[in-house]
Amino acid sequence: CVLHLSIHLSVDADPSTPQQEALDVYLPLLEDPSSMICISIAQLLSSTLRLQPYRTAVAEWSPLSERNKEVRAKRGWEKTEPMNSSSRQGGWVAKQLVTLLPRKEPKVRHLHALRPEPGCVADTSHTKLQEAALSALGALAQDNPPVATKLVKHPPDQSGV
């Protein structure tokens, strides 16, 4: 698996922990508007989150922009404001995966056509996206009480994750 292999490229890296650089490359792709990219990243997550250090690292990961805000807030000479860090609220990745569940795809314009027009997305893409997102959420929440608890407290039909 690409994600699993790429996170071990560092010579000094401990093979039981993922590398931040690899997570910084793959995880932001969950925000991509293309369903196919989101499906691929969710499938990568569901197949690679087998070890607890991986689940923890992915659950605690946040985008570089959020990490930079947190670092700036920790400087002593600046006024600190309460941060709404995703990692403290159940995880940025879990939040992105939950947002993929109700995602709507464009309707196929020609239901009876053998080949839809270019740009039309078949209904199976939406089902595959939901399946991949649920599988990744299951892998992320396995033996990970903070994420599992957050998912139970705020189901996907609410905007709390």
Side-chain angles (χ1 to χ4, degrees):
C1 197
V2 176
L3 179 62
H4 188 68
L5 294 175
S6 67
I7 57 181
H8 295 297
L9 293 179
S10 174
V11 176
D12 300 328
D14 178 6
S16 66
T17 59
Q19 296 299 305
Q20 186 71 35
E21 296 83 20
L23 298 178
D24 288 343
V25 170
Y26 291 107
L27 297 181
L29 293 173
L30 288 171
E31 289 184 309
D32 195 281
S34 167
S35 293
M36 297 310 292
I37 291 175
C38 293
I39 289 169
S40 297
I41 298 302
Q43 287 174 338
L44 281 172
L45 287 172
S46 66
S47 65
T48 57
L49 295 178
R50 302 289 183 221
L51 300 173
Q52 187 60 40
Y54 286 92
R55 287 190 292 268
T56 302
V58 170
E60 293 176 352
W61 184 87
S62 61
L64 186 58
S65 60
E66 285 187 27
R67 291 195 307 262
N68 287 340
K69 288 178 189 176
E70 289 178 10
V71 168
R72 276 190 233 122
K74 291 179 183 177
R75 295 182 196 159
W77 65 86
E78 292 179 343
K79 183 179 178 182
T80 58
E81 297 176 9
M83 295 298 296
N84 270 339
S85 172
S86 296
S87 60
R88 293 188 201 123
Q89 297 176 357
W92 184 90
V93 174
K95 181 178 179 179
Q96 294 306 313
L97 290 169
V98 167
T99 62
L100 295 177
L101 296 176
R103 187 184 235 189
K104 301 274 187 210
E105 289 295 330
K107 293 184 180 181
V108 176
R109 288 184 221 146
H110 300 285
L111 294 175
H112 301 291
L114 292 176
R115 289 192 320 199
E117 289 182 21
C120 292
V121 179
D123 291 335
T124 57
S125 176
H126 181 60
T127 304
K128 288 179 182 179
L129 178 63
Q130 287 182 328
E131 180 183 347
L134 287 170
S135 181
L137 276 169
L140 185 60
Q142 180 183 352
D143 297 327
N144 199 337
V147 172
T149 302
K150 195 66 174 178
L151 289 172
V152 170
K153 286 183 179 178
H154 300 284
D157 63 329
Q158 298 177 2
S159 61
V161 177

